[in-house]
Amino acid sequence: VKVARHNATAPSSAKRDIRGLTLPDLENVIEEMGESKYRARQIAGWLYNRGVESFDAMSDVPASLREKLAERFTIGSVAAVFVSRSADSTRKLLLTLHDGEQIESVIIPAGERVTLCLSTQAGCAMGCEFCATAMMGLRRNLTAGEIVGQIFAARNELDETKHLTNYVFMGMGEPLANYPRLHDALTIMAADWGMSLSQRRITVSTVGIAPMMERLLADFPVVNLAVSFHAPADELRSRLVPLNRRYPLATLIDTCRRLPLRRRDRITFEYVMLKRVNDSPIHAAQLVKLLAPLCAKVNLIMFNPFDGAQFEPSDRDAVERFQAILRRGKITATIRESRGRDIAAACGQLYVERHGLPARRASRHAARLASIAG
Ligand code: SF4
């Protein structure tokens, strides 16, 4: 079921967005205003715990300070302009930002768990061949406020009986290519003055910007890391994930070995199953060999085809055979069904469906895909 929404109110103002400032940033702002520093914590509580959208709602903050804040800042919000509801209860939100850019977030309920898939960029520069977002190119980085704003937008979509329990950065964009904003967003999500979310329930997925993976786990040691792997050999991976040319498999595996994982923690490797591209028993055996030195878990993801995609999902038999080889190689492997198939739930699909593709980009994409198929 697709539910169209009214246009979002897009704040168009030169004022800075206060949502996205960390506690130290807020303390600086408050002190510059000649006010007591402790007010910053109160304001953070209103912004990140209660999620208010106006300074007037901050009832324990003096009216004079609220006025001063309103002169300098807005409270940015990201608004759902379109919501797709899938038969399997996955919900995909198309969200508008203040400058008209659009991003996607996906709410994925599964039993008691309700996972929110978050975007970190509008579009993406990484160019992965099986990804609809890649077809948009990079439009811009999201701010920390826009990243956490997706959580409030998603909460508005849920009724009172459902709460978000897990957060995965697997939506539009490469999170580690927008690290400063991701860092602030994770800080706000995890801090007791912010949203007080457990780092254990947050997963950051990367295509493998090796140095930033180390930085992420140094800054947030308990956050889960997922690596979009998709191929067990450099030649194939470089074609599917162009970043592999910069950080080839040896570098990536070496980096993963050095990561400061706590006992029992594992790195998740995402592997999208593409028919007759990366799904043979030989690929599975190569993957076992490659991941053997690591504490690894593999998610085999059923490919979600989209308009313009030149790949097909692997047959079920091929996926199960692949999984069995990994398991025999002592690697935990789970098959992830593609959720929300009927609503284009893979990242970027809803945007591309609603906006079409820039013609030049579409033809360049088609040419690259043809070279892979050949
Ligand atoms: S898979 Fe992720 S990193 Fe690759 S193009 Fe898509 S959004 Fe970007």
Side-chain angles (χ1 to χ4, degrees):
V1 181
K2 296 194 172 183
V3 182
R5 288 292 170 85
H6 295 298
N7 278 343
T9 45
S12 60
S13 143
K15 291 180 194 171
R16 205 170 152 203
D17 182 5
I18 198 167
R19 184 147 24 228
L21 298 191
T22 60
L23 184 63
D25 296 333
L26 286 168
E27 286 173 345
N28 287 341
V29 165
I30 295 300
E31 283 189 321
E32 272 170 28
M33 288 177 169
E35 303 275 348
S36 306
K37 199 167 151 184
Y38 78 92
R39 294 281 180 206
R41 197 172 267 271
Q42 276 179 312
I43 293 164
W46 285 107
L47 290 172
Y48 303 124
N49 187 357
R50 306 206 197 186
V52 298
E53 295 192 353
S54 91
F55 292 108
D56 286 341
M58 300 179 177
S59 55
D60 59 359
V61 175
S64 58
L65 176 54
R66 279 187 263 150
E67 270 169 37
K68 280 196 245 177
L69 288 169
E71 280 164 20
R72 282 182 56 183
F73 295 99
T74 56
I75 302 180
S77 65
V78 294
V81 283
F82 187 81
V83 180
S84 290
R85 290 199 175 88
S86 162
D88 67 12
S89 68
T90 299
R91 243 178 270 186
K92 183 156 196 166
L93 319 182
L94 187 67
L95 303 160
T96 293
L97 310 178
H98 71 91
D99 57 357
E101 288 297 344
Q102 293 190 325
I103 55 164
E104 298 174 358
S105 310
V106 188
I107 302 169
I108 309 159
E112 291 299 297
R113 182 185 279 225
V114 183
T115 301
L116 178 65
C117 180
L118 295 140
S119 295
T120 49
Q121 298 179 307
C124 185
M126 295 295 145
C128 303
E129 289 291 359
F130 49 84
C131 170
T133 300
M135 295 166 119
M136 294 167 60
L138 177 64
R139 299 180 65 86
R140 72 168 171 83
N141 282 326
L142 302 192
T143 64
E146 289 165 340
I147 296 172
V148 297
Q150 295 168 68
I151 298 173
F152 295 108
R155 285 179 181 169
N156 286 340
E157 289 301 320
L158 294 172
D159 65 44
E160 280 141 28
T161 61
K162 286 274 179 203
H163 299 286
L164 297 171
T165 59
N166 294 68
Y167 302 83
V168 295
F169 286 90
M170 292 184 186
M172 281 184 172
E174 161 55 51
L176 300 185
N178 185 16
Y179 190 70
R181 268 70 53 172
L182 174 74
H183 177 280
D184 284 357
L186 288 173
T187 302
I188 290 165
M189 289 167 74
D192 61 352
W193 50 260
M195 302 173 97
S196 302
L197 304 176
S198 164
Q199 283 189 40
R200 283 175 203 285
R201 294 184 175 271
I202 301 172
T203 300
V204 175
S205 173
T206 175
V207 278
I209 304 183
M212 299 312 295
M213 289 160 57
E214 295 189 80
R215 174 94 183 267
L216 172 76
L217 286 199
D219 291 344
F220 301 96
V222 190
V223 159
N224 301 296
L225 182 69
V227 180
S228 297
F229 213 63
H230 311 312
D234 276 319
E235 199 190 337
L236 178 59
R237 189 164 193 269
S238 294
R239 284 188 283 158
L240 296 175
V241 180
L243 187 77
N244 191 67
R245 292 184 200 123
R246 183 129 167 236
Y247 301 111
L249 286 170
T251 308
L252 200 52
I253 296 293
D254 202 43
T255 302
C256 290
R257 288 178 81 158
R258 285 202 310 271
L259 290 175
L261 293 183
R262 291 156 317 137
R263 263 205 293 167
R264 292 177 55 227
D265 275 0
R266 283 184 294 192
I267 303 172
T268 302
F269 291 84
E270 310 283 350
Y271 196 102
V272 64
M273 297 297 290
L274 305 170
K275 189 173 188 169
R276 288 195 287 275
V277 174
N278 65 354
D279 64 350
S280 74
I282 293 172
H283 292 124
Q286 286 175 321
L287 192 58
V288 168
K289 206 166 154 201
L290 208 54
L291 299 184
L294 299 174
C295 209
K297 172 184 158 202
V298 176
N299 282 341
L300 301 172
I301 302 166
M302 302 300 286
F303 177 59
N304 205 353
F306 53 90
D307 264 1
Q310 305 276 318
F311 298 112
E312 289 174 54
S314 298
D315 296 332
R316 188 81 202 180
D317 291 359
V319 179
E320 284 173 6
R321 197 168 53 226
F322 202 98
Q323 181 189 36
I325 296 169
L326 294 185
R327 286 183 169 171
R328 275 204 301 280
K330 309 255 178 301
I331 289 175
T332 308
T334 47
I335 299 174
R336 287 288 159 98
E337 304 302 334
S338 194
R339 295 289 303 268
R341 245 170 214 269
D342 50 334
I343 57 159
C347 80
Q349 271 180 260
L350 193 59
Y351 179 98
V352 169
E353 269 188 12
R354 285 174 63 83
H355 295 264
L357 276 180
R360 231 185 42 218
R361 190 173 294 284
S363 65
R364 207 169 55 223
H365 191 75
R368 278 219 302 259
L369 290 171
S371 79
I372 286 189

